[in-house]
Amino acid sequence: MNRARLFGPLLGFATLAVVLYLGFSLRDPHLLPSALLDQPFPPFDLPVLGSSGRATQADLKGEVRLVNVWATWCPTCLAEHDELKRIRETGLSVVGINYKDDSADAVAWLARHGDPYAFSVVDTDGDLGVDLGVYGAPETFLLDADAVIRYKHVGAVDETIWREEIAPAIEAIR
């Protein structure tokens, strides 16, 4: 029997231990680095929820805005929904990406809970989500006026996240 084969499981365990150590050593589990920070928002051409229109990356340019990935099947999306409505009342444009969802359900959900979005694009297959490196819903991106991603938040946006992270990031890019 070859002695080198005996070290395979040990090497596999050591590799797994290093990966787990690095994963658990993140200072904040919601702080997931994004390769897209300071990069243009990925190109897309998707239907606008509840209309016959379409939207592209060009529709994100011209002003600072939030882009929020959401779905009706996401309970955390409902938890952050009122905060997104409050944020829109401040005058900041919020755009939605309805992620891997049924469009009819999404239209009914927004009618029932209120619509904080200037518009939502329909990402039924999740292709835009893949291009954005989305781990799941909700995720929120802050874009500058040139549609460059300046900030990413994984999880619900609440008053604390708004006050301590997003609002200061908006001020920094304005």
Side-chain angles (χ1 to χ4, degrees):
M1 184 174 218
N2 185 351
R3 286 186 169 205
R5 289 182 56 202
L6 295 175
F7 289 103
L10 179 62
L11 181 61
F13 175 77
T15 302
L16 180 62
V18 167
V19 168
L20 289 174
Y21 173 78
L22 292 173
F24 287 121
S25 67
L26 289 173
R27 67 173 195 251
D28 179 355
H30 291 99
L31 182 61
L32 297 170
S34 174
L36 294 180
L37 286 181
D38 300 323
Q39 299 296 316
F41 198 87
F44 67 93
D45 183 352
L46 292 171
V48 174
L49 184 67
S51 85
S52 60
R54 298 186 70 81
T56 67
Q57 177 195 34
D59 295 306
L60 301 178
K61 293 183 178 181
E63 63 183 284
V64 173
R65 67 181 76 229
L66 289 182
V67 175
N68 177 256
V69 179
W70 67 281
T72 61
W73 48 259
C74 165
T76 309
C77 296
L78 182 57
E80 78 172 354
H81 199 71
D82 285 338
E83 183 65 15
L84 293 176
K85 290 190 294 187
R86 190 197 64 73
I87 290 169
R88 181 157 185 205
E89 289 173 3
T90 69
L92 182 67
S93 177
V94 182
V95 172
I97 298 174
N98 185 236
Y99 182 65
K100 294 184 176 182
D101 207 351
D102 179 82
S103 292
D105 290 346
V107 169
W109 193 86
L110 290 175
R112 185 171 45 254
H113 300 291
D115 189 350
Y117 305 109
F119 64 90
S120 285
V121 295
V122 178
D123 189 19
T124 305
D125 297 327
D127 293 337
L128 179 56
V130 168
D131 291 344
L132 285 168
V134 168
Y135 292 89
E139 291 191 21
T140 303
F141 298 84
L142 175 63
L143 308 184
D144 68 14
D146 295 320
V148 172
I149 299 170
R150 298 299 179 184
Y151 170 86
K152 176 184 178 180
H153 177 74
V154 176
V157 171
D158 58 21
E159 185 179 348
T160 302
I161 296 297
W162 168 257
R163 184 180 61 251
E164 295 180 3
E165 297 181 26
I166 298 174
I170 291 170
E171 290 306 313
I173 63 175
R174 283 191 171 158

